[in-house]
Amino acid sequence: MNGAHFLVAFVLLALSSSFAFAFDPSPLQDFCVAINDPKDGVFVNGKFCRDPMLATANDFSFSGLNILGNTSNQVGSNVTLLNVDKIPGLNTLGISIARIDFAPYGGLNPPHIHPRATEILVVLEGTLYVGFVTSNPNRLITKVLNAGDVFVFPIGLIHFQFNIGNTNAVAIAGLSSQNPGVITIANAVFGSNPPINPDVLAKAFQLDKNVVNYLQKQFWVNNH
């Protein structure tokens, strides 16, 4: 009987370990500065690593996150994402940061997901209505945030931020991946290339096919 209990415990431990390592493992070196040139490089996490002895402070820094983003677009927002493409030293470190600017009342960071990252958001200026939708049965969790408030958006869930104030709003987001990725729902569904068959979308959204055709002809802005 004790042997059976031991076997069950061993199997559970093995399963939990496999879940724990479902995402990128911890790096085995201090850092892995990303380079595009494969010469004399080692391929790690989608990037080639520079010789650590050639790394400089510039590989780990960025200037300009204090600059106001251009929100003069259809959704009234701008996301300045600093991922591994902007800061090469982030490679393998599993973290990135973004500044999000919102135009006065109505500035929206549209419903989207990050397939590879949880997001933690802190509001620096203004008032934001934020939220995310759980997996089925799709519960909506929302909150109004003011300067200094923090909110977490779990990995892979649809979420949004909307400026309900009469002034500009600014937020900073930390993301748990050096390359979190983003899928903006409206853009992906109605602006894919090539387009999704209108019959599929008409059935899925219970819309007239003419409405789907109209939506697919619109310009879906990318605020990143």
Side-chain angles (χ1 to χ4, degrees), residues 51-124:
D51 182 339
M53 297 304 295
L54 301 178
T56 70
N58 289 336
D59 294 321
F60 301 92
S61 64
F62 176 90
S63 297
L65 203 58
N66 61 312
I67 298 173
L68 179 68
N70 183 7
T71 59
S72 59
N73 53 53
Q74 289 172 301
V75 294
S77 69
N78 182 278
V79 178
T80 304
L81 173 64
L82 302 184
N83 60 9
V84 66
D85 294 326
K86 297 290 182 65
I87 304 178
L90 287 177
N91 193 39
T92 75
L93 298 185
I95 193 170
S96 56
I97 190 171
R99 171 182 171 136
I100 312 170
D101 290 279
F102 301 85
Y105 192 84
L108 171 69
N109 192 14
H112 62 282
I113 68 171
H114 299 295
R116 295 180 291 275
T118 290
E119 176 180 343
I120 184 167
L121 181 101
V122 57
V123 178
L124 300 184

Side-chain angles (χ1 to χ4, degrees), residues 10-21:
F10 179 79
V11 170
L12 290 175
L13 179 61
L15 287 173
S16 65
S17 296
S18 67
F19 293 144
F21 290 102

Side-chain angles (χ1 to χ4, degrees), residues 75-77 101-109 123 125-131 142-147 149 160-170:
V75 294
S77 69
D101 290 279
F102 301 85
Y105 192 84
L108 171 69
N109 192 14
V123 178
E125 301 175 17
T127 302
L128 297 177
Y129 169 67
V130 308
T142 66
K143 189 174 180 63
V144 173
L145 304 181
N146 295 297
D149 291 343
F160 61 87
Q161 299 103 25
F162 182 63
N163 185 5
I164 59 174
N166 295 320
T167 62
N168 291 327
V170 181

Side-chain angles (χ1 to χ4, degrees), residues 132-148:
F132 64 85
V133 180
T134 68
S135 54
N136 292 343
N138 304 134
R139 181 184 173 207
L140 175 64
I141 297 177
T142 66
K143 189 174 180 63
V144 173
L145 304 181
N146 295 297

Side-chain angles (χ1 to χ4, degrees), residues 24 48 53 77-78 82 89 112-113 129 146 158 179 187 192 197 201 220:
D24 295 335
F48 288 97
M53 297 304 295
S77 69
N78 182 278
L82 302 184
H112 62 282
I113 68 171
Y129 169 67
N146 295 297
I158 296 174
N179 186 23
N187 301 39
S192 66
N197 187 317
L201 298 181
W220 294 96

